[in-house]
Amino acid sequence: MAVINKSVIASVLMLIGSSVTAQTVNHISVRSTDNKTKISKHIYGHFAEHLGRCIYGGFYVGESNKKVPHVNGIRKDVVEALKKLKVPNLRWPGGCFADTYHWKDGIGPKADRPKMVNVWWSGVTEDNSFGTHDFLDMCELIGADPYLAGNVGSGTVAEFTDWVQYVSFDGSSPMSSLRAKNGREKPWNVKLWGVGNEAWGCGGNMVPEYYANIYRQYATFMKGSKDMFRIASGANGDDYHWTEVLMRDIPHSILDGVALHHYAVIDWSKKGPSVEFSEEIYFKSMKAALRMEELVSRHSTIMDKYDPQKKVALVVDEWGGWYDVEPGTNPGFLYQQNTMRDAMIAGLTLNIFNNHADRVRIANLAQTINVLQSVILTDEEKMLLTPTFHVMEMYNVHQDATLLPITITTNDYVFKEEKLPAVSISASVDAANLTHVTLVNIDPVKSQNISLAFFGSVYKTATGRILTSGALQDHNTFKDPEKIKPATFNKVTVKNGEVTLTVPPFSVISLELK
Ligand code: AHR
C-alpha cells in the first residue's frame, strides 16, 4: 500500500506557489486488475498458551465440570464463537511455555500425568490435563489447523521428532502405536510447526548464528508429516540482524517461514492501564501498533535479498496490544480488558498484513482467551466477545481472497507535536467476485471523508458494517456484553464508479461492493 501524507502534499503545493489548499477528503485509489497476491487465510490465526486462564477456564473447563456446557472438557460457547471467526490456525502450547513443555507428559490417562511448574507464568502448577489429544481434537471442533510450537530450549531433537511422528505418521511406528493406544488411530497430520519460540529470549537466550545451526539440526529430523511447514523462531521487533542471519544460514529447502514478534506496547516498564487510558497513551499505542508497517517492510526487504521469489513466509506469530493487568488479578496471568483502542489496533494491523500478503502469510493474535488482546473473555460460565473479536469477524471476508493494491492520501491524526496517518485500509476480491474494503479511522475526534476510486472495476452497490462506540475506553463487560458490536452501515454512496463515505472517529468499517 502506498501512503501519501497530506501535509507533505500541502508543503509541496506551497513551495510551487499553487493556490490549492490541502484537501479534507482522504483519496484512495484501488487497482482491480492483474492482481495475483492472495491474502492467506492464515493471517487471521490465533494463539493459545498455557498462561493464566487462556487454556484452563478459557478453552477448557475439565471433563467433570457441571456448570459450563462442554464436549470432553472443551467449552461449547467458545467453540461456537470461534467458528464464527473462521479461525484458520491456532498456535499452541506457547509462547515461552513451549520451550518448557514435554509433550509426553500430556498424553495417556489424565490421572497418571506428571505435574510441572509453569516457570514463566506465575509458577503455578500445570497438571497436564490439557494435552496433545485435547488440543488437536479441539482444533477439529473449531475447524482450525493446529500450529504446534515444539520445545527446542529445554527439549531434545528426539523428543521433538517423536511429537511429529506421534501426531502425523500414517504408518506403523512406535509413536503411531502409542497414539493408537491412547485412543487415536488416524493421525491428525499437523502441518504447521514452530521450531522453538523466542530463541533470543525465553527460548534459550541464543544468538542468531547458534539458533540457525540448532534449527538446521531440528528441521533435518522432523519427518513423518505431509506438507510440513517449518517456522523458525524469529526476530524480536526490529532485530533485523536476526532475520538476516536466519535467511542467510538456513537452507531454504528446510525453511518455510521465519517468525516475527511485535506487541503494541507504549513502554515495557510502564505499559499503562487497559481501560483508564488518556489520549496521550492512546496516541502512543497507535504509534506502537503502526510500527508493524515498518517492521514488516524492513524484515521483508531482508528476506527479498535472500529469497526474491518470496518462498519463505514472514510469520508474525505474536502480535497485539499489551497493557497492565486488570487491578486485583495475578500479574503473571496477563488478563486485560479490551476497548475500542484494541479494535483500532486489530483493524490497522490486519490492514498492514493484508497489504503485505506477498510475504506475510501467517499471523497469530496474542492471545485468544483471557490473555493480552483476547477475542473472548470468560468468567466461570459467562463468556463475552471483545471489540477485537468483532474486528476479526468483520475482516474474515479477506481470508484467501485476492489482494487489491491501494494508494492512499490520508489526513493526519495530530496529537501535540506528533502525527500519524488517520486512515488505514485494505481491499480484496473473493472467489464469488465480491469486493471487500476494510477501513479504520484512528483519529479520536475527527471523522474522515473518504473517496474511493477503483481502476478496473465499476460497482453499482455498496453495503457495510461499522464497529464504533461513544468513548475510546468503552468495552464489553459480563453485565453489558453487547455494548460494542457491529451495526449496519449504510451511509455509503456509489456514483459514477466512485464510492464515498464518512468514517466516524475511532471506527472500523467493512464494505462489500458489487
Ligand atoms: O504472549 C505472551 C508471551 O510473549 C509469550 O509467551 C512470549 O513468546 C512473548 O514474549
Side-chain angles (χ1 to χ4, degrees):
M1 179 183 64
V3 180
I4 302 164
N5 184 285
K6 279 208 173 151
S7 45
V8 174
I9 294 179
S11 330
V12 172
L13 290 174
M14 275 168 68
L15 278 173
I16 60 174
S18 165
S19 59
V20 181
T21 50
Q23 310 153 71
T24 53
V25 177
N26 299 272
H27 284 283
I28 297 164
S29 63
V30 185
R31 295 190 299 286
S32 315
T33 47
D34 298 333
N35 303 305
K36 293 187 186 69
T37 303
K38 189 169 103 170
I39 299 174
S40 168
K41 65 177 180 178
H42 287 294
I43 284 177
Y44 291 81
H46 290 264
F47 171 34
E49 181 165 10
H50 285 239
L51 193 179
R53 295 187 300 113
C54 184
I55 296 295
Y56 299 106
F59 282 100
Y60 178 78
V61 287
E63 286 84 342
S64 58
N65 189 297
K66 299 269 182 290
K67 238 166 129 185
V68 185
H70 62 85
V71 184
N72 298 328
I74 307 295
R75 294 181 73 121
K76 282 187 179 174
D77 51 0
V78 159
V79 170
E80 285 318 306
L82 293 178
K83 276 187 186 166
K84 290 193 188 118
L85 282 191
K86 301 192 178 141
V87 174
N89 73 78
L90 187 57
R91 178 173 182 248
W92 177 83
C96 295
F97 181 78
D99 282 293
T100 63
Y101 184 61
H102 299 288
W103 69 271
K104 284 180 184 157
D105 293 348
I107 56 169
K110 295 202 171 179
D112 300 342
R113 295 185 188 176
K115 293 183 172 48
M116 67 179 283
V117 176
N118 191 333
V119 290
W120 292 112
W121 306 116
S122 224
V124 292
T125 302
E126 162 67 56
D127 67 3
N128 280 305
S129 57
F130 185 91
T132 298
H133 289 248
D134 306 273
F135 176 70
L136 296 178
D137 290 348
M138 182 177 89
C139 285
E140 287 185 340
L141 288 177
I142 296 168
D145 287 353
Y147 169 7
L148 295 180
N151 182 346
V152 169
S154 69
T156 63
V157 176
E159 181 184 12
F160 200 129
T161 56
D162 275 356
W163 206 14
V164 175
Q165 288 271 322
Y166 187 87
V167 298
S168 291
F169 190 62
D170 194 8
S172 177
S173 79
M175 285 302 115
S176 53
S177 303
L178 182 59
R179 181 184 71 226
K181 189 173 150 232
N182 287 329
R184 175 84 184 202
E185 191 79 41
K186 202 172 132 257
W188 292 275
N189 194 32
V190 176
K191 292 180 185 147
L192 302 173
W193 286 92
V195 181
N197 169 74
E198 296 193 351
W200 42 265
C202 62
N205 277 311
M206 301 176 198
V207 295
E209 291 79 5
Y210 180 75
Y211 173 71
N213 273 334
I214 291 277
Y215 177 95
R216 292 166 67 126
Q217 184 188 9
Y218 273 73
T220 303
F221 295 99
M222 291 166 67
K223 302 265 183 239
S225 147
K226 289 186 209 107
D227 307 321
M228 188 157 39
F229 195 98
R230 284 162 292 195
I231 300 161
S233 167
N236 179 18
D238 61 2
D239 185 354
Y240 300 112
H241 177 63
W242 186 276
T243 300
E244 177 98 37
V245 172
L246 265 47
M247 290 300 291
R248 186 193 67 203
D249 291 1
I250 300 173
H252 295 184
S253 54
I254 56 167
L255 181 68
D256 304 294
V258 169
L260 165 67
H261 288 181
H262 171 62
Y263 285 96
V265 179
I266 62 164
D267 177 347
W268 282 105
S269 62
K270 213 170 159 209
K271 297 192 267 312
S274 66
V275 176
E276 299 300 323
F277 54 87
S278 60
E279 188 184 341
E280 182 168 7
I281 290 184
Y282 170 74
F283 184 90
K284 286 182 181 168
S285 291
M286 293 302 103
K287 192 174 172 185
L290 281 163
R291 181 124 198 273
M292 188 66 90
E293 172 68 38
E294 180 193 331
L295 295 174
V296 163
S297 300
R298 292 188 60 183
H299 283 288
S300 296
T301 302
I302 293 164
M303 294 176 80
D304 288 350
K305 191 165 110 189
Y306 296 94
D307 173 33
Q309 291 180 312
K310 299 183 189 290
K311 289 191 174 145
V312 181
L314 183 57
V315 176
V316 190
D317 54 13
E318 287 187 31
W319 68 271
W322 190 326
Y323 322 112
D324 293 341
V325 299
E326 287 309 293
T329 65
N330 186 325
F333 280 13
L334 311 186
Y335 177 73
Q336 62 190 41
Q337 248 298 353
N338 199 289
T339 66
M340 285 305 294
R341 167 173 63 172
D342 296 275
M344 299 297 103
I345 293 175
L348 69 85
T349 305
L350 293 170
N351 282 339
I352 292 170
F353 293 159
N354 288 345
N355 289 320
H356 285 277
D358 59 337
R359 185 62 86 176
V360 180
R361 297 199 282 274
I362 303 178
N364 300 80
L365 173 63
Q367 297 193 6
T368 324
I369 311 177
N370 297 330
V371 171
L372 301 177
Q373 191 175 339
S374 309
V375 291
I376 291 174
L377 300 177
T378 65
D379 177 14
E380 302 282 340
E381 74 282 12
K382 290 179 271 199
M383 182 197 84
L384 66 79
L385 308 177
T386 66
T388 302
F389 176 98
H390 295 304
V391 174
M392 297 289 290
E393 187 272 325
M394 287 165 72
Y395 273 61
N396 69 20
V397 288
H398 291 303
Q399 290 190 13
D400 282 344
T402 303
L403 177 72
L404 299 180
I406 274 170
T407 306
I408 174 169
T409 309
T410 166
N411 290 320
D412 290 321
Y413 160 32
V414 182
F415 181 76
K416 293 188 176 163
E417 307 296 299
E418 287 192 89
K419 55 191 174 212
L420 296 170
V423 177
S424 118
I425 179 170
S426 64
S428 67
V429 57
D430 70 11
N433 218 20
L434 293 171
T435 293
H436 294 104
V437 181
T438 45
L439 294 131
V440 183
N441 172 18
I442 61 168
D443 194 304
V445 180
K446 291 186 186 153
S447 296
Q448 301 297 331
N449 298 323
I450 307 279
S451 159
L452 284 159
F454 290 86
F455 296 93
S457 297
V458 179
Y459 300 103
K460 293 198 177 88
T461 60
T463 50
R465 290 201 296 157
I466 184 166
L467 192 76
T468 191
S469 197
L472 267 177
Q473 294 78 4
D474 282 355
H475 55 281
N476 292 336
T477 62
F478 293 105
K479 278 201 183 125
D480 190 1
E482 298 202 354
K483 184 180 178 71
I484 300 170
K485 61 178 180 182
T488 302
F489 178 78
N490 47 26
K491 291 183 201 142
V492 49
T493 310
V494 187
K495 207 171 162 193
N496 302 329
E498 188 195 9
V499 177
T500 52
L501 68 152
T502 299
V503 188
F506 59 94
S507 304
V508 180
I509 288 179
S510 68
L511 298 176
E512 183 175 292
L513 308 173
K514 280 192 240 179

